[in-house]
Amino acid sequence: MVEEKYEKASFAAGCFWGVEATFRDLKGVVSTSVGYMGGSTEDPTYGDVCSGSTGHAETVQIIYDPTKISYEKLLETFWNKHDPTTKNRQGPDVGSQYRSIIFYHNEEQKNLAIESKKKLEESGKYNQPIVTEIIPAPKFYPAEDYHQQYLEKRGRKFCGI
């Protein structure tokens, strides 16, 4: 359960191991959990999601203290962590489970996400259209324990490509 003073944010930006590690390092992030969102299969496994048949994306759910870090800063981190112009792909990882999504938990998050995407589009940073989806947060299914803080458990901060 999220304490009343904390808020929740959920992002899909490719392989969840590296995305989680990036958010865990931010001051004001209370906890992170990796899992699956956006599909139709209930209680999916990693194998199910990797098959591409569930519709779920690898997602990081973040519990944060809004008095220490803003949702805007989380959005900035999200945009800087991946390439939002590649559909169903991040680096060497290919499949719908690696697509770019901002799952919003309330109207304020929705509006901030839309505004940040528009600013990024207008910035000219990318030559291709931004394909990131902005959708209401459905049920979050936590991934298996061995995926939680995967890189941290192995003494690493980054995925090697």
Side-chain angles (χ1 to χ4, degrees), residues 7-11 37 59-64 71 102-110 135-140:
E7 293 186 20
K8 187 185 302 181
S10 302
F11 302 103
M37 290 178 88
T59 302
V60 177
Q61 190 160 88
I62 301 154
I63 305 300
Y64 68 99
Y71 187 70
I102 299 169
F103 295 104
Y104 61 86
H105 293 270
N106 57 48
E107 286 300 307
E108 180 183 15
Q109 286 184 356
K110 175 184 177 181
I135 60 175
K139 183 173 180 176
F140 176 76

Side-chain angles (χ1 to χ4, degrees), residues 2-8 26-31 62-71 74:
V2 178
E3 287 190 41
E4 284 186 38
K5 67 179 185 173
Y6 297 146
E7 293 186 20
K8 187 185 302 181
L26 297 176
K27 183 178 182 199
V29 170
V30 176
S31 67
I62 301 154
I63 305 300
Y64 68 99
D65 183 340
T67 67
K68 295 182 179 169
I69 189 168
S70 67
Y71 187 70
L74 296 176

Side-chain angles (χ1 to χ4, degrees), residues 82-87 90 100 126-132:
H82 75 300
D83 180 352
T85 68
T86 55
K87 186 169 177 68
Q90 287 300 313
S100 176
Y126 296 104
N127 295 329
Q128 301 293 321
I130 294 172
V131 296
T132 302

Side-chain angles (χ1 to χ4, degrees), residues 92-151:
D93 298 323
V94 179
S96 62
Q97 70 269 31
Y98 301 116
R99 67 193 187 276
S100 176
I101 309 173
I102 299 169
F103 295 104
Y104 61 86
H105 293 270
N106 57 48
E107 286 300 307
E108 180 183 15
Q109 286 184 356
K110 175 184 177 181
N111 293 333
L112 290 169
I114 291 168
E115 180 181 317
S116 72
K117 181 179 178 181
K118 182 178 179 190
K119 282 182 185 176
L120 187 58
E121 288 171 331
E122 293 172 351
S123 75
K125 180 177 180 176
Y126 296 104
N127 295 329
Q128 301 293 321
I130 294 172
V131 296
T132 302
E133 299 171 56
I134 299 173
I135 60 175
K139 183 173 180 176
F140 176 76
Y141 296 97
E144 297 81 351
D145 285 344
Y146 72 92
H147 288 294
Q148 306 301 328
Q149 292 88 53
Y150 183 87
L151 295 177

